[in-house]
Amino acid sequence: MQPLIIGRHSVPFPLIQGGMGVRISGHKLAGAVAKAGGIGIVASAGLGLNSHHYNGRNYYAADKAALAEEIRKAYEIAPDGVIGTNCMVAVKNYDDAVRTSCEAGAKLIISGAGLPLHLPALTADWPEVALVPIVSSVKAAELIARKWKKSYDRLPDAVVVEDPLTAGGHLGASREEIEAGGYEQYATVRGVKAYFRREWSLNIPIIAAGGVWDRGDLLYALEQGADAVQMASRFVVTEECDADLAYKQAYLSCQREDIGLVMSPAGLPGRAIVGNLDGVRGYDVTQGTRCPSGCLKKCTYKAEQDRFCIVHALDRAQRGDVETGLIFCGRNAWKANHIGTVQEVFDELFAEGIDAADAV
Ligand SMILES: Cc1cc2nc3c(=O)[nH]c(=O)nc-3n(C[C@H](O)[C@H](O)[C@H](O)COP(=O)(O)O)c2cc1C
């Protein structure tokens, strides 16, 4: 069994729990994953909304306070574990989320939904915090590495390669590219690995994200050249996932054909359960809302009331309103058939170990 080592941090199992914004992965899930021997990730986006810090008018202050609190509580569950955060470049309070993560003791920052070109500047005072960009192409990894080296004399400690054909949430390719289906996840994983070896003599972990559901998928990813996997949807159907039970039940009852693409007001496609999209869009129309929180740097809803307010749609789903809430999920979420514990997921994935025979 190969431990996963990212920068100065190491865990026994080659597994990161993917950040899931607007409190799908808060302290309970991240803490449980870290306790089980993986890397637990608190997603920073929109964390304040369903928290006691939020009073309806203080979105940014509540987000900041909630993020620090969630990291602290995750460490209460796993005092010696590795807890990190997911910070989305596309949100307006990105810089604040990164700095707050570092102050509160996050051991790594995973950052995507845009190119995290300035991430090392934000974390300069915390050199022990590992930096992990999310990309969906070799080109994006090259751009980030060149910029970081030139401007900050820093390179990534690991890279997450996220498959737009299978991952949940916001995706790193256009709708047309995704629908054309030509993307090859493991060619990208190997390409990114080779790039860092060739260009920088660096053997950093390359982590495959998207569509990994069971032990067979995990072994396949490792066999295809990934050093570890990032899994998100599978962890939604755990007792520890921070979402309401109705959210988890939506995964249990959805079929393969219920999962599709939705254009986010952030300008990116996202993968979600699409059966209730009329309800998601209709909510803002009937309520007459106009950008209640201003959370995104660029937002078609804020600019011209096009599409819907995504952060509040995700928040409604997280609280259990599956009629008008947006339920992000990966392409394999239909495989969910019961709610178990995080430890059970680890037992299934790793109980037999990963020996050379399995992984070759
Ligand atoms: C409900 C949900 C919310 C997500 N939110 C985020 C997020 O806030 N930031 C991010 O970078 N990725 C987000 N993702 C992507 C995951 O972190 C992960 O990379 C991806 O879903 C992995 O694929 P899987 O769900 O098939 O395991 C989200 C995924 C899901 C399912």
Side-chain angles (χ1 to χ4, degrees):
M1 177 87 56
Q2 295 291 315
L4 172 59
I5 303 169
I6 300 186
R8 301 182 198 177
H9 312 290
S10 126
V11 289
F13 299 115
L15 171 60
I16 300 179
Q17 160 256 310
M20 293 181 277
V22 198
R23 206 175 275 273
I24 307 298
S25 69
H27 74 276
K28 285 190 230 145
L29 181 56
V33 169
K35 191 175 172 194
I39 295 183
I41 299 292
V42 173
S44 60
L47 254 186
L49 284 180
N50 191 10
S51 79
H52 63 97
H53 301 286
Y54 186 57
N55 64 14
R57 297 176 307 280
N58 63 340
Y59 180 85
Y60 296 113
D63 244 18
K64 186 178 164 77
L67 178 56
E69 182 176 14
E70 292 298 298
I71 295 169
R72 181 177 53 73
K73 286 183 171 173
Y75 278 121
E76 282 170 14
I77 297 169
D80 303 320
V82 176
I83 308 279
T85 63
N86 177 289
C87 298
M88 293 176 59
V89 180
V91 303
K92 224 190 237 170
N93 55 346
Y94 173 72
D95 294 9
D96 212 21
V98 170
R99 291 204 188 95
T100 304
S101 299
C102 295
E103 282 162 9
K107 292 181 181 165
L108 71 162
I109 293 182
I110 302 186
S111 188
L115 294 178
L117 294 175
H118 306 292
L119 182 57
L122 302 171
T123 64
D125 292 340
W126 297 273
E128 70 289 354
V129 175
L131 303 183
V132 185
I134 305 172
V135 302
S136 296
S137 68
V138 179
K139 199 171 153 216
E142 290 176 6
L143 272 172
I144 293 166
R146 272 195 239 115
K147 168 72 183 167
W148 285 16
K149 187 68 188 170
K150 184 161 174 256
S151 301
Y152 312 109
D153 195 23
R154 177 114 196 219
L155 286 165
D157 296 288
V159 175
V160 171
V161 174
E162 195 179 71
D163 178 0
L165 304 191
T166 56
H170 286 104
L171 304 166
S174 71
R175 185 173 194 137
E176 294 70 29
E177 286 165 335
I178 295 168
E179 285 169 349
Y183 177 83
E184 286 192 46
Q185 166 72 342
Y186 291 102
T188 312
V189 166
R190 289 189 293 271
V192 173
K193 184 91 187 170
Y195 167 72
F196 281 98
R197 280 203 170 125
R198 187 179 66 240
E199 213 52 41
W200 306 105
S201 305
L202 206 58
N203 184 21
I204 51 170
I206 307 302
I207 295 137
V212 180
W213 190 265
D214 56 23
R215 180 175 168 83
D217 300 331
L218 164 72
L219 293 178
Y220 182 74
L222 300 179
E223 177 199 308
Q224 290 294 313
D227 297 294
V229 295
Q230 172 168 287
M231 294 170 61
S233 299
R234 178 78 196 264
F235 286 112
V236 168
V237 278
T238 58
E239 288 170 14
E240 294 93 336
C241 170
D242 298 77
D244 189 272
L245 184 58
Y247 193 102
K248 303 174 189 182
Q249 275 162 347
Y251 273 42
L252 296 183
S253 52
C254 80
Q255 310 290 315
R256 194 195 288 253
E257 57 275 14
D258 300 328
I259 297 168
L261 297 178
V262 54
M263 278 312 291
S264 152
L268 303 165
R271 185 164 284 107
I273 294 178
V274 291
N276 68 345
L277 286 185
D278 286 346
V280 173
R281 294 195 190 97
Y283 182 90
D284 292 317
V285 177
T286 47
Q287 300 293 311
T289 54
R290 282 192 74 91
C291 188
S293 301
C295 65
L296 292 170
K297 288 173 184 161
K298 283 191 192 152
C299 175
T300 60
Y301 186 70
K302 179 171 68 182
E304 57 220 44
Q305 304 286 285
D306 183 32
R307 299 175 191 155
F308 52 91
C309 166
I310 191 160
V311 74
H312 286 271
L314 291 169
D315 176 54
R316 290 195 296 280
Q318 191 274 348
R319 295 174 195 244
D321 172 1
V322 294
E323 303 297 320
T324 79
L326 179 63
I327 305 164
F328 269 163
C329 69
R331 200 180 70 186
N332 278 341
W334 63 273
K335 293 187 178 178
N337 58 15
H338 74 288
I339 296 173
T341 64
V342 164
Q343 188 57 54
E344 283 163 7
V345 176
F346 273 74
D347 289 346
E348 188 215 303
L349 293 170
F350 300 112
E352 296 162 52
I354 296 179
D355 57 30
D358 276 335
V360 169

